[in-house]
Amino acid sequence: MTATPATVTETSVLAELTDVLGSVLDADELEFIEITMDTRFVEDLDLESIDLVTLTGELRRRYGDAVDFPAWFASLELSEIVGLSVGQVVRYVVGQLR
């Protein structure tokens, strides 16, 4: 699905990201976790580096080349990646697609 600027909102991207997380993580793990803008990938969801790679691949399929996750991740320090929240990814996607 390719989003258009008119349909790109933080709410819609959060819903898409939550859906993608369901395909990356075990659905049983997500059953008891509410994904919010403050949810952290490593601390709250226990994502490992391979999960982040899978996540970015899934998001690229949904949003195309307009959202360059590899370049964005490369610009982050390790501590920033470890503390990365869902909200940071949502705001990045929205900013890239608008």
Side-chain angles (χ1 to χ4, degrees), residues 47 56 60 89:
L47 256 67
T56 59
R60 183 176 182 157
V89 172

Side-chain angles (χ1 to χ4, degrees), residues 22-65:
S23 69
V24 171
L25 296 172
D26 183 358
D28 292 337
E29 293 175 28
L30 285 181
E31 185 176 344
F32 302 104
I33 299 173
E34 179 183 2
I35 305 296
T36 69
M37 296 288 274
D38 295 324
T39 302
R40 289 167 294 181
F41 291 101
V42 173
E43 189 168 325
D44 299 326
L45 299 176
D46 293 326
L47 256 67
E48 296 181 12
S49 58
I50 190 68
D51 297 323
L52 285 172
V53 169
T54 303
L55 176 68
T56 59
E58 287 295 317
L59 291 172
R60 183 176 182 157
R61 285 188 332 145
R62 290 183 186 234
Y63 296 113
D65 292 333

